[in-house]
């Protein structure tokens, strides 16, 4: 079977754990200190996942590109415009920081409004479960609230996790579940085929006023 190619976008405010999610997933490492993300960080991972298809188990090969967006305040509209062709998103929030959860509604509304896709899959993930009860931290977002948010906007509930405490193998297993959910919702996606251009003179194209 041809390799399926997916692009998955990580969305959320600063310091919710997007960078460490990628780092732990790809390399097994974790950084305790916050480090800001650039405009986008792109990572690649290949997986083989068994999926039920026509009443039998089929091994599906995936080539997945994960793109992390930065969590700059007021950046959600820009992110939505630049990701309008995307179809799979992981939404992160910090369980101990309500603002990071409340702001996801703006991200979601902007992405849906700007999207050019017929189907998109959004998986909601509550991170930093390990912080509850430490250094005066307490839970500010209940699991019930998160599930209600998913029901309201038809999102997939990805659960509450601690990227810091999870072993890399456990995180990979969870990520495979996420990929399978995306596959079930958006279907098969393949790498666009290269188009062979005819050897004909081409008109000059002005890049002064590109259309977005």
């Amino acid at each position: 079977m041809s390799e399926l190619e997916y692009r998955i976008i990580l969305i959320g405010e600063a310091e919710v754990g997007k960078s460490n999610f990628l780092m732990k997933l790809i390399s097994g490492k974790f950084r305790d200190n916050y480090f800001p993300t650039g405009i986008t960080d792109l990572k690649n991972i290949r997986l083989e996942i068994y999926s039920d298809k026509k009443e039998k188990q089929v091994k599906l090969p995936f080539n997945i590109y994960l793109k992390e967006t930065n969590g700059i305040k007021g950046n959600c509209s820009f992110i939505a415009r630049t990701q309008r062709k995307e179809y799979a998103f992981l939404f992160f929030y910090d369980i101990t920081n309500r603002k990071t959860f409340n702001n996801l509604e703006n991200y979601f509304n902007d992405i849906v409004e700007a999207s050019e896709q017929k189907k998109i899959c959004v998986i909601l993930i509550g991170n930093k479960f390990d912080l509850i009860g430490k250094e005066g931290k307490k839970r500010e977002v209940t699991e019930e609230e998160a599930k209600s948010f998913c029901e309201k906007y038809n999102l997939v509930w990805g659960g509450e996790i601690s990227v810091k405490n999870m072993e890399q193998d456990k995180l990979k297993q969870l990520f495979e579940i996420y990929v399978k959910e995306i596959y079930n919702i958006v279907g098969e996606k393949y790498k666009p085929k290269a188009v062979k251009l005819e050897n004909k003179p081409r008109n000059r194209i002005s890049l002064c006023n590109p259309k977005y």
Side-chain angles (χ1 to χ4, degrees):
M1 182 178 181
S2 300
E3 192 175 53
L4 300 168
E5 183 167 300
Y6 278 14
R7 296 184 306 276
I8 302 176
I9 314 302
L10 280 63
I11 300 284
E13 296 292 299
E15 300 186 62
V16 294
K18 304 185 301 294
S19 297
N20 271 319
F21 180 90
L22 282 182
M23 187 179 296
K24 179 70 73 74
L25 181 66
I26 303 298
S27 67
K29 297 179 181 179
F30 183 90
R31 288 186 184 179
D32 282 308
N33 297 327
Y34 170 68
F35 54 102
T37 304
I39 297 300
T40 56
D41 278 353
L42 186 66
K43 305 293 183 184
N44 178 244
I45 186 171
R46 279 182 159 86
L47 301 171
E48 287 188 336
I49 300 175
Y50 282 96
S51 178
D52 295 321
K53 192 174 183 180
K54 296 182 180 179
E55 300 180 353
K56 66 178 182 179
Q57 287 273 311
V58 177
K59 184 185 287 186
L60 301 173
F62 288 89
N63 181 24
I64 299 171
Y65 292 92
L66 296 117
K67 185 190 296 185
E68 179 192 353
T69 57
N70 67 30
I72 297 174
K73 185 177 181 181
N75 204 33
C76 54
S77 295
F78 170 77
I79 290 172
R81 291 195 303 273
T82 57
Q83 310 303 328
R84 63 185 184 274
K85 294 183 182 296
E86 307 301 345
Y87 46 80
F89 301 87
L90 302 183
F91 274 27
F92 288 83
Y93 68 94
D94 178 351
I95 293 170
T96 65
N97 185 337
R98 170 160 289 279
K99 184 182 75 171
T100 64
F101 176 75
N102 291 343
N103 288 346
L104 288 178
E105 189 167 23
N106 293 329
Y107 282 108
F108 179 78
N109 289 332
D110 285 345
I111 285 171
V112 169
E113 184 176 345
S115 178
E116 296 178 1
Q117 298 293 333
K118 292 181 179 179
K119 293 181 180 179
I120 65 171
C121 176
V122 178
I123 299 176
L124 180 64
I125 303 165
N127 188 30
K128 302 196 176 183
F129 188 81
D130 57 287
L131 290 183
I132 298 174
K134 292 184 178 180
E135 299 179 0
K137 293 278 188 178
K138 61 181 181 179
R139 175 189 287 275
E140 293 188 0
V141 182
T142 68
E143 188 173 4
E144 290 72 23
E145 286 179 284
K147 288 180 177 179
S148 295
F149 185 82
C150 289
E151 290 178 5
K152 179 179 179 180
Y153 291 108
N154 198 26
L155 313 186
V156 176
W157 173 230
E160 295 182 337
I161 66 173
S162 168
V163 172
K164 181 176 182 178
N165 289 345
M166 289 184 78
E167 297 293 334
Q168 184 184 20
D169 288 344
K170 293 292 185 183
L171 188 59
K172 280 187 175 180
Q173 290 174 14
L174 181 63
F175 182 68
E176 288 178 3
I177 293 173
Y178 294 161
V179 173
K180 193 172 179 180
E181 289 285 353
I182 294 168
Y183 171 79
N184 289 336
I185 292 173
V186 304
E188 297 178 353
K189 299 287 184 179
Y190 296 94
K191 182 178 180 180
K193 294 182 179 180
V195 178
K196 187 176 181 180
L197 300 176
E198 296 181 11
N199 189 20
K200 293 181 179 180
R202 288 178 287 177
N203 296 330
R204 290 181 177 272
I205 300 175
S206 172
L207 298 181
C208 296
N209 295 298
K211 295 181 179 179
Y212 294 98

